[in-house]
Amino acid sequence: MIRLAEASINGIVRRMVNLPRSILGGFSRVMNGGRRNRTLPSSYQYQILQQDTPYVPEEWSFLTSFQYQYGSMHPFFYACRFAEALKIAEDDHKFLFLYLHSPDHPFTPSFCEDTLCSELVVQFLDANFICWGALANRGEGLQMAITLGATSFPFCAVIAPAPGESITVLQQLEGPLSPADLVEILQRTLEEQGSAFGSSKLKREEKIKADRRIREEQDKAYLAALKQDKERERLKNPPLVLPKKAMDERLKQNSPIKQQGRVKETTFTRETPNKDPANKGKDSHPSSQILIRFPNGEKRERRFSSMDKVKSIYSYVDSLGLPGTENYRLIASFPRRVYGTDEMNMTLKDAGLHPRASLFLECQ
């Protein structure tokens, strides 16, 4: 029942695919305007489902229907346009895991419940990929199904950005798979394709470094030339020699006796900042660096004391006032761990969030 792209039998799939105009428009919006905040309150998501209203934002159509049927235990799917998810993957130096959901296909329920929502697959995908899903019969999901030539479902693909108006398909999977089989194929894809793409990434980084060195050398040469010009200008226009009377007056003004009163004055007016006694003990603890990812691709980073409680992170998220954060929980991946009510009073160090950690914000 497993159908892999033909080249995957040899361990490698790589083909270039041109993207349709409708999706290319998303790329231009991402490049011109950056990532936009597309998060909706979770309560509004389920209100949409309950009212059966025809208006469902395209970016949320897959996620709302998937969570409604299979619950919240699933890979962290970014609720955004395909172009935005691909940009996130490129920025994070990861591959994109694409899943096209066909609700009416007979293999879909078992694949979603037993494989896609299994703890093994969830942890592996969250740790190694940027995940994006869509309904296969509408919007960008339908466009990608046609573009990638999907003939059977469930349909998954591993995608990497490519120059121009195309993408690189590294692996394509059609049909049901067990959790172990899916993870094995994805692991092999990372190992085989990662080295190839790592070399091209290394070349890009070397080019960036070479360009930076050239700019630094140009700046250095410019500063040296500017210094020479100033020196020539100084030699052309030597400083004026003051008469003896003017020189004596200037020495008198700058004498230590004349300056003594000013020194005392500045000594009395200078203030020495006092440290807050309440923060003295807190500053003695090492800091923990916490990175928080939101469903729309946005990332926020903040430092806390290692002795701060987990609820301090929740308080920080609440203080941002971002839409879609009325009902949520924080999750760490690989190993997957939910920081909920029971962990609120744990210190970041005891909770395993020190010295640094990455958390997903999952709406409920």
Side-chain angles (χ1 to χ4, degrees), residues 92-145:
D92 288 359
H93 305 293
K94 291 183 177 181
F95 294 142
L96 178 72
F97 176 82
L98 176 144
Y99 169 64
L100 299 180
H101 185 65
S102 179
D104 299 328
H105 197 281
F107 293 147
T108 296
S110 60
F111 177 77
C112 292
E113 292 174 356
D114 300 335
T115 300
L116 200 56
C117 294
S118 68
E119 186 175 357
L120 174 65
V121 172
V122 170
Q123 291 187 7
F124 186 81
L125 287 176
D126 285 349
N128 298 285
F129 292 87
I130 297 298
C131 299
W132 184 82
L135 296 174
N137 59 354
R138 59 180 287 187
E140 290 194 340
L142 177 60
Q143 290 290 328
M144 292 305 299

Side-chain angles (χ1 to χ4, degrees), residues 12 14 35 51 58 65 74 120 135 141 152 157 174 178 189 225 241 249 267 281-283 290 300 305 330 338 345:
I12 291 180
R14 182 179 294 176
R35 301 176 197 165
Q51 292 180 353
E58 183 60 38
S65 62
H74 57 73
L120 174 65
L135 296 174
S152 181
E174 298 183 29
S178 69
T189 303
V241 179
E249 184 65 25
T267 304
K282 185 176 180 180
D283 291 343
I290 306 297
R300 296 292 181 96
S305 169
L330 296 173
V338 178
N345 291 319

Side-chain angles (χ1 to χ4, degrees), residues 318-336:
D318 295 339
S319 69
L320 298 176
L322 298 176
T325 57
E326 289 79 4
N327 186 16
Y328 66 93
R329 59 181 183 176
L330 296 173
I331 298 176
S333 62
F334 211 73
R336 182 181 174 89

Side-chain angles (χ1 to χ4, degrees), residues 79-279:
C80 59
R81 302 290 295 272
F82 175 80
E84 294 170 317
L86 196 62
K87 184 66 169 61
I88 295 170
E90 184 176 13
D91 292 343
D92 288 359
H93 305 293
K94 291 183 177 181
F95 294 142
L96 178 72
F97 176 82
L98 176 144
Y99 169 64
L100 299 180
H101 185 65
S102 179
D104 299 328
H105 197 281
F107 293 147
T108 296
S110 60
F111 177 77
C112 292
E113 292 174 356
D114 300 335
T115 300
L116 200 56
C117 294
S118 68
E119 186 175 357
L120 174 65
V121 172
V122 170
Q123 291 187 7
F124 186 81
L125 287 176
D126 285 349
N128 298 285
F129 292 87
I130 297 298
C131 299
W132 184 82
L135 296 174
N137 59 354
R138 59 180 287 187
E140 290 194 340
L142 177 60
Q143 290 290 328
M144 292 305 299
I146 297 173
T147 301
L148 298 178
T151 59
S152 181
F153 296 91
F155 182 92
C156 306
V158 178
I159 294 172
E165 301 177 350
S166 59
I167 56 175
T168 304
V169 181
L170 306 178
Q171 187 65 268
Q172 186 167 311
L173 311 173
E174 298 183 29
L177 286 167
S178 69
D181 289 339
L182 179 58
V183 169
E184 181 182 356
I185 294 171
L186 294 177
Q187 180 66 49
R188 189 172 70 245
T189 303
L190 286 176
E191 294 172 354
E192 295 169 347
Q193 304 286 6
S195 59
F197 275 80
S199 61
S200 61
K201 176 188 170 185
L202 183 60
K203 291 180 181 179
R204 289 196 301 270
E205 291 178 349
E206 289 177 352
K207 184 178 183 303
I208 292 173
K209 291 179 180 179
D211 293 341
R212 185 182 296 116
R213 284 195 300 268
I214 293 174
R215 286 195 301 270
E216 290 175 352
E217 291 173 359
Q218 290 174 343
D219 292 341
K220 186 176 180 180
Y222 171 75
L223 292 175
L226 186 63
K227 185 177 180 181
Q228 291 177 359
D229 291 341
K230 288 183 177 180
E231 183 66 19
R232 283 195 294 266
E233 188 68 23
R234 187 185 68 82
L235 294 176
K236 287 181 181 179
N237 302 299
L240 295 175
V241 179
L242 295 175
K244 186 176 184 303
K245 184 177 180 181
M247 181 65 73
D248 293 340
E249 184 65 25
R250 174 171 292 186
L251 291 174
K252 186 184 297 183
Q253 291 292 332
N254 294 328
S255 66
I257 298 175
K258 191 72 175 178
Q259 294 291 332
Q260 187 175 3
R262 298 180 188 175
V263 173
K264 289 183 178 179
E265 182 181 352
T266 55
T267 304
F268 283 111
T269 56
R270 183 181 300 148
E271 294 181 0
T272 303
N274 295 322
K275 291 187 177 180
D276 185 0
N279 294 330

Side-chain angles (χ1 to χ4, degrees), residues 49 56-66 134-135 138:
L49 294 172
V56 178
E58 183 60 38
E59 294 83 353
W60 283 99
S61 57
F62 160 71
L63 189 57
T64 52
S65 62
F66 190 92
L135 296 174
R138 59 180 287 187

